[in-house]
């Protein structure tokens, strides 16, 4: 029987140790890799979920605009039907155009600014039908906004709010709105007088607060830190100034 030499024993033990060490390193490396893969997968799932949640939030906020607008315009239409049939037909056509835009063209992240301007102008024409000679509304919109896109219906709540709280059929009523363009910025400014009546102030203030909160939430979700919104009320004049970085 030949006994292994001390050198052979040392080599054998060293080899066994190295194999064990390499096996441990391989095991922990594999576990670490799997752990990283799992973390990446979880992170991707989390990001996907956050995006879906954001989309749901935006859709819910956007849909809050539709019922209020439709309810108001349908009331206006019902009031006209028994008074002026021809005018009622015009209102129906214009209202149908507005609803088509809201329901079928606003389902994207961004829309052409020119379409938003057209929508606002059509809405103003509708409002003009139901107001008397005290309809004092001025607009200053640029003619060439080709290629500029914004979030759908992001300006409209300010316009609707101005008509709701600014025009009460008095000679002092007014709404002024202006849209300006810069190389990297879209700026929208709107002013209107406000009325304070004991019977309507509470409801009006609440609805205005909800509407402006809705706009802020949409702006936060869509533009994050790429916008500025300043709102003020001085001497019974409400003013909103919105700047959006393109």
């Amino acid at each position: 029987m030949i006994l292994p030499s001390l050198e052979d024993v040392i080599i054998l033990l060293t080899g066994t140790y190295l194999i064990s060490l390499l096996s441990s390193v391989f095991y922990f490396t594999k576990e670490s890799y799997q752990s990283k893969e799992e973390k990446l997968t979880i992170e991707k799932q989390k990001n996907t979920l956050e995006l879906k949640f954001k989309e749901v939030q935006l859709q819910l906020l956007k849909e809050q605009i539709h019922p209020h607008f439709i309810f108001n315009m349908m009331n206006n239409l019902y009031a006209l039907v028994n008074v002026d049939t021809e005018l009622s037909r015009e209102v129906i056509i214009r209202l149908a155009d507005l609803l088509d835009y809201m329901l079928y063209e606003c389902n994207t992240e961004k829309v052409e600014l020119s379409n938003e301007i057209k929508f606002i102008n059509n809405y103003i024409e509708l409002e003009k039908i139901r107001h008397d000679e005290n309809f004092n509304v001025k607009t200053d919109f640029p003619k060439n906004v080709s290629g500029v896109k914004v979030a759908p219906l992001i300006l409209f709540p300010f316009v609707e709010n101005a008509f709701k709280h600014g025009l009460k059929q008095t000679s002092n009523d007014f709404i002024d709105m202006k849209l300006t363009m810069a190389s990297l910025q879209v700026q929208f400014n709107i002013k209107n007088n406000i009325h304070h009546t004991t019977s309507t102030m509470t409801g009006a203030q609440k609805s205005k607060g909800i509407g402006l909160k809705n706009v802020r939430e949409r702006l936060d979700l869509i533009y994050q830190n790429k916008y500025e919104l300043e709102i003020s009320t001085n001497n019974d004049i409400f003013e909103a100034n919105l700047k959006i970085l393109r």
Side-chain angles (χ1 to χ4, degrees):
M1 181 177 177
I2 302 174
L3 294 175
S5 65
L6 180 60
E7 184 178 347
D8 290 335
V9 171
I10 292 173
I11 292 172
L12 181 63
L13 291 175
T14 302
T16 304
Y17 173 76
L18 287 174
I19 291 172
S20 299
L21 181 62
L22 287 172
S23 297
S24 298
V25 169
F26 176 76
Y27 173 79
F28 285 113
T29 301
K30 182 181 177 182
E31 287 294 308
S32 176
Y33 176 77
Q34 289 178 341
S35 178
K36 286 181 180 178
E37 283 290 301
E38 289 174 358
K39 285 181 180 178
L40 286 173
T41 301
I42 292 171
E43 189 65 27
K44 286 180 181 178
Q45 291 173 341
K46 176 174 170 286
N47 291 337
T48 301
L49 190 61
E50 286 177 350
L51 285 173
K52 287 183 178 180
F53 179 67
K54 180 179 177 180
E55 289 175 4
V56 170
Q57 278 185 296
L58 286 171
Q59 190 61 34
L60 289 173
L61 288 169
K62 192 160 53 176
E63 286 175 355
Q64 287 178 28
I65 300 171
H66 298 185
H68 183 255
F69 167 78
I70 294 170
F71 178 78
N72 283 345
M73 296 316 300
M74 290 305 294
N75 276 345
N76 296 339
L77 177 59
Y78 293 147
L80 277 172
V81 166
N82 297 325
V83 178
D84 192 327
T85 306
E86 194 63 36
L87 198 55
S88 297
R89 290 195 187 99
E90 182 183 345
V91 170
I92 290 171
I93 293 171
R94 287 187 179 275
L95 184 56
D97 288 341
L98 291 181
L99 292 179
D100 281 345
Y101 179 73
M102 295 178 80
L103 296 174
Y104 303 117
E105 297 184 41
C106 290
N107 295 323
T108 58
E109 185 179 350
K110 298 289 178 64
V111 295
E112 293 289 338
L113 180 57
S114 58
N115 291 336
E116 288 287 293
I117 292 174
K118 181 180 178 182
F119 177 85
I120 291 172
N121 282 331
N122 283 339
Y123 174 78
I124 292 172
E125 288 301 313
L126 266 180
E127 286 287 351
K128 189 175 182 179
I129 291 172
R130 73 183 186 92
H131 286 84
D132 58 20
E133 66 277 1
N134 291 318
F135 189 79
N136 183 13
V137 178
K138 297 178 181 178
T139 61
D140 183 2
F141 298 151
K143 293 181 179 179
N144 183 14
V145 292
S146 177
V148 180
K149 292 188 176 184
V150 294
L153 303 174
I154 202 69
L155 306 178
F156 176 64
F158 296 105
V159 178
E160 187 183 23
N161 179 74
F163 276 98
K164 182 176 182 181
H165 301 284
L167 294 189
K168 300 292 183 181
Q169 310 286 27
T170 69
S171 59
N172 294 325
D173 293 347
F174 77 93
I175 299 175
D176 289 345
M177 59 187 87
K178 183 176 183 179
L179 186 66
T180 55
M181 304 290 302
S183 58
L184 298 174
Q185 181 177 278
V186 175
Q187 182 171 349
F188 180 70
N189 179 271
I190 186 165
K191 298 177 185 177
N192 62 271
N193 63 305
I194 51 179
H195 293 263
H196 297 294
T197 59
T198 304
S199 59
T200 61
M201 187 182 297
T202 302
Q205 285 179 338
K206 284 184 178 179
S207 62
K208 183 168 70 173
I210 292 171
L212 296 180
K213 181 183 177 184
N214 182 320
V215 174
R216 285 188 183 277
E217 288 179 358
R218 286 191 68 207
L219 286 166
D220 284 339
L221 286 166
I222 299 169
Y223 292 103
Q224 298 177 6
N225 61 342
K226 294 183 178 180
Y227 83 93
E228 293 179 12
L229 175 59
E230 296 177 356
I231 294 175
S232 62
T233 303
N234 294 306
N235 299 322
D236 290 339
I237 294 178
F238 173 87
E239 180 176 3
N241 193 54
L242 174 63
K243 296 178 183 178
I244 297 174
L245 295 178
R246 295 163 55 188

